[in-house]
Amino acid sequence: MSTIRIFSLKNGIMCISLAMLVACGGSGSPSNPIAQVPPPIVVPPTTPPVVVPPPPTPPSVTMPNATQASRFLQQSTFGATETTIDSLMNVGFNSWIEDQFTMPQSSHKSYMDSIAAGLSNGISGLNQNHFFESFWKQTVSGNDQLRQRVGFALSQIMVTSFQDSTVANYPRGVASYYDTLNTHAFGNYRQLLEAVTLHPMMGIYLTSLRNQKESGTRVPDENYAREVMQLFTIGLSKLNSDGSTILSNGKPIDTYTNDDISGLAKVFTGWSWAGADKSNTRFYGGNADENRDWMPMQSYPAFHSVSIKSFLGTTIAAQSPANPEASLKTALDTLFNHPNVGPFIGKQLIQRLVTSNPSPQYVARVAAAFNNNGTGVRGDMKAVIKAILLDPEARNDPSLNNAGIGKLREPILRLANWLRAFNAKSSSGAYRITNLDDPLTSLGQTPMRSPSVFNFYRPGYVPPNSSIANAQLVSPEMQITAETSVVGYLNFMRDTIANGTGTSRDVKADYSNLSTLATTPEQLLDKVNLLLMSNQMSSGLRSQIIAAVNSIAIPTTTQTAIDTAKLNRVYMSVFLTMASPEYLVQK
């Protein structure tokens, strides 16, 4: 692909440079934002929330057209394909969602077990790369795309990470944890909250595993108690149903205090590894069950606090004997029924799937679906997902909405888009795409390798000194966007588009359908535009890319030379599309 340059095109047709960073609103970002301490969550202004009229109702359409189908699939899957666009056009949005709800779940743990069965040292021979193989295999070829996409969103809210050295020792456990998120993605949030709380990988990551009751100067570990409130349920400040902050004397009202953390921490004492008994040895990690990396933690009453537990206006009386299960149920029920949960979690799911800056009305409609699915059930994830994806703000033509519509595509989603759009195949069948952490030579983001419990980026992140900040908007994904990551992405995709990616170039795209269009650049780019950008490419960008494609002459010498030139035209069209700010912002 020698005709492409990272900062300019042959004959000066288009300048890429760092335009995507500027266009997305970034300025003065640190060269390695992942290593920075996450900034505080941005609290909305202390003025009352602006009441804006609801968006216009989407036009009545029996079936979506190709543009509408592609856009919907960008929000609900890891990327549109020709097959999924055609399928969605035939069944419509509602039926597609309902079909996805019944789709059998792909299992990452099953993949890990199958790999372990072929290793001389079994489960102990597994490593992170085996999980990454499973992740990318299911991302590219899995039929349960909606479940997998929602599960990916949940993995960035309820974080565990291979970057924790102890978690990294249990790659099958991490695969099981990811399965747990996917299993409950279509269930009830209350059950999801409990499954996450009792998963041993969460127990390791937020140190609730082997947490002991108070004794002498020792107090229960407060880590999980703090984060289950701050990140998984109620957030830092009390919210209105539309996600805006409730104010008292012009200041946000805290949802919890240090006393609430201390009281709740007692609930999470006495939980440790699963196994055949509840001995002290097993509690501390001895006599290990071979399946303890994925089996839910079990209670050990001898280590559970029996004193009064007070938190969030709820009191659990002193216990004799200890009853860890009853304490846990009361705590999780209290958190689940807090009025903040619907708007707090609903808004984050909107941000991960549709747009970084949903209107208060959009958040309120999704929160209402969380609070009541229409039959009196709270926390029904299916109702929440449908409310997010079928809302007028998600389905209306993006040109009808304000300038804040859309979200920056994070690097994992960009690679996934490419893999799916161009029918990428693994020569080994294993999809050997490994660690992608390095922002200069790779993507700067790897699934399940968040640098902290706060994910790769915070939901309220505002790029400093930017037009986004001036407009009082947020752009979470900009927290991992900087000069190094922009150049790294361009270099990575320039190489990947032409040569494939993964160990020994294991994963390569199939451009056979596009090569046949290479002699008609307009048709070639129309196909790329539909698959990657849902036909949202501007006429200006389209003209520039077509000119660049036309600059690659098709020879009349040998068939090999002709085929090479055609492929170079395909590479050019795909690369320039994926390098453009217009692609980088999903609308």
Side-chain angles (χ1 to χ4, degrees):
M1 196 173 171
S2 59
T3 55
I4 291 181
R5 298 291 183 270
I6 292 305
F7 295 110
S8 64
L9 295 181
K10 184 179 180 181
N11 300 325
I13 293 169
M14 179 187 291
C15 178
I16 297 175
S17 188
L18 299 182
M20 72 174 78
L21 183 63
V22 176
C24 294
S27 175
S29 301
S31 60
N32 186 12
I34 291 180
Q36 305 300 311
V37 176
I41 289 177
V42 175
V43 178
T46 56
T47 54
V50 176
V51 178
V52 295
T57 302
S60 178
V61 178
T62 304
M63 293 295 172
N65 59 34
T67 296
Q68 293 165 333
S70 177
R71 180 169 179 251
F72 178 87
L73 291 166
Q74 300 296 345
Q75 299 167 345
S76 59
T77 74
F78 280 106
T81 69
E82 292 188 68
T83 300
T84 55
I85 289 172
D86 290 342
S87 176
L88 182 55
M89 291 170 64
N90 288 328
V91 301
F93 298 132
N94 274 295
S95 294
W96 184 88
I97 291 174
E98 292 296 338
D99 288 345
Q100 285 287 304
F101 284 160
T102 63
M103 195 71 65
Q105 177 182 346
S106 305
S107 172
H108 296 282
K109 176 182 170 294
S110 294
Y111 177 85
M112 303 291 274
D113 284 335
S114 68
I115 295 298
L119 299 175
S120 59
N121 50 351
I123 295 169
S124 62
L126 294 171
N127 58 52
Q128 296 179 39
N129 288 337
H130 295 119
F131 171 76
F132 301 147
E133 292 172 7
S134 183
F135 175 88
W136 289 110
K137 182 176 184 177
Q138 293 185 30
T139 293
V140 175
S141 60
N143 293 322
D144 55 337
Q145 280 288 301
L146 179 59
R147 184 188 296 275
Q148 294 287 335
R149 180 66 188 273
V150 174
F152 178 64
L154 291 171
S155 76
Q156 296 187 309
I157 297 172
M158 300 170 151
V159 174
T160 61
S161 174
F162 279 121
Q163 293 222 27
D164 179 284
S165 58
T166 306
V167 171
N169 291 328
Y170 299 97
R172 188 180 68 157
V174 174
S176 164
Y177 180 78
Y178 200 88
D179 281 345
T180 297
L181 299 178
N182 288 332
T183 296
H184 294 280
F186 295 163
N188 190 283
Y189 197 78
R190 170 61 177 78
Q191 278 66 56
L192 170 62
L193 186 60
E194 183 165 336
V196 164
T197 299
L198 294 181
H199 200 284
M201 295 304 101
M202 180 58 73
I204 292 171
Y205 190 62
L206 290 182
T207 58
S208 59
L209 186 142
R210 294 196 297 256
N211 191 10
Q212 299 183 51
K213 64 185 178 182
E214 64 276 16
S215 177
T217 59
R218 184 185 67 210
V219 297
D221 186 292
E222 297 181 347
N223 203 13
Y224 189 72
R226 180 184 303 104
E227 306 307 349
V228 73
M229 290 191 288
Q230 179 181 354
L231 301 176
F232 303 171
T233 53
I234 65 178
L236 293 173
S237 303
K238 292 186 178 181
L239 303 174
N240 293 302
S241 62
D242 64 2
S244 59
T245 304
I246 298 174
L247 304 175
S248 176
N249 296 321
K251 296 181 179 180
I253 304 170
D254 293 339
T255 52
Y256 58 87
T257 66
N258 286 331
D259 288 341
D260 292 318
I261 296 172
S262 297
L264 188 58
K266 296 178 183 180
V267 171
F268 302 117
T269 55
W271 295 91
S272 191
W273 298 110
D277 58 55
K278 296 187 176 183
S279 65
N280 290 3
T281 298
R282 191 177 299 279
F283 177 87
Y284 287 115
N287 194 25
D289 188 288
E290 66 175 357
N291 293 315
R292 71 177 189 173
D293 57 338
W294 63 267
M295 293 173 63
M297 293 188 295
Q298 66 184 14
S299 68
Y300 291 75
F303 295 91
H304 182 69
S305 173
V306 297
S307 63
I308 294 174
K309 307 172 183 68
S310 296
F311 50 89
L312 300 176
T314 296
T315 297
I316 299 174
Q319 300 169 319
S320 182
N323 193 337
E325 287 80 8
S327 294
L328 183 69
K329 181 180 186 305
T330 298
L332 297 185
D333 285 347
T334 299
L335 291 169
F336 172 68
N337 287 298
H338 193 286
N340 263 32
V341 182
F344 182 69
I345 297 299
K347 182 176 181 179
Q348 290 188 69
L349 289 174
I350 294 171
Q351 289 182 305
R352 301 282 61 76
L353 300 176
V354 178
T355 181
S356 295
N357 295 278
S359 74
Q361 288 77 18
Y362 190 0
V363 175
R365 290 188 289 267
V366 171
F370 182 95
N371 295 339
N372 186 339
N373 69 349
T375 61
V377 176
R378 178 179 175 82
D380 180 357
M381 291 294 290
K382 290 181 180 179
V384 171
I385 292 165
K386 292 186 77 171
I388 291 171
L389 294 176
L390 299 179
D391 190 87
E393 287 191 37
R395 299 278 55 83
N396 276 336
D397 186 324
S399 65
L400 299 175
N401 294 284
N402 62 42
I405 191 70
K407 62 187 290 289
L408 185 67
R409 297 180 204 259
E410 58 195 291
I412 287 173
L413 293 184
R414 298 175 210 166
L415 180 58
N417 287 172
W418 174 79
L419 291 165
R420 286 180 55 77
F422 306 114
N423 197 27
K425 294 288 193 300
S426 166
S427 58
S428 69
Y431 290 85
R432 291 177 174 147
I433 301 173
T434 56
N435 189 309
L436 302 171
D437 283 356
D438 193 323
L440 186 57
T441 62
S442 190
L443 291 180
Q445 187 185 30
T446 309
M448 299 304 284
R449 283 190 56 82
S450 166
S452 78
V453 72
F454 298 106
N455 187 30
F456 299 97
Y457 43 78
R458 299 289 285 267
Y461 179 74
V462 179
N465 306 314
S466 67
S467 57
I468 292 173
N470 293 338
Q472 295 187 318
L473 299 174
V474 302
S475 183
E477 295 84 356
M478 284 297 295
Q479 193 170 357
I480 55 171
T481 304
E483 288 83 353
T484 52
S485 65
V486 169
V487 174
Y489 166 69
L490 291 173
N491 278 312
F492 179 84
M493 291 310 303
R494 174 184 179 273
D495 179 56
T496 293
I497 288 167
N499 302 311
T501 189
T503 303
S504 301
R505 308 289 183 180
D506 179 59
V507 184
K508 295 183 178 181
D510 177 0
Y511 296 118
S512 55
N513 289 343
L514 293 183
S515 291
T516 61
L517 303 175
T519 55
T520 53
E522 292 83 2
Q523 294 181 33
L524 169 62
L525 195 58
D526 285 346
K527 181 70 68 176
V528 172
N529 186 13
L530 174 64
L531 291 172
L532 293 177
M533 292 187 60
S534 306
N535 286 336
Q536 294 173 8
M537 186 180 292
S538 68
S539 59
L541 177 60
R542 186 173 187 274
S543 296
Q544 289 177 307
I545 296 179
I546 288 174
V549 172
N550 276 323
S551 71
I552 302 174
I554 304 292
T556 58
T557 50
T558 66
Q559 190 60 47
T560 298
I562 293 171
D563 292 343
T564 298
K566 286 182 177 180
L567 277 175
N568 281 335
R569 284 189 166 195
V570 172
Y571 302 154
M572 180 74 81
S573 65
V574 174
F575 175 74
L576 294 183
T577 298
M578 296 191 73
S580 70
E582 291 183 19
Y583 165 76
L584 291 172
V585 179
Q586 172 191 306
K587 292 186 177 180

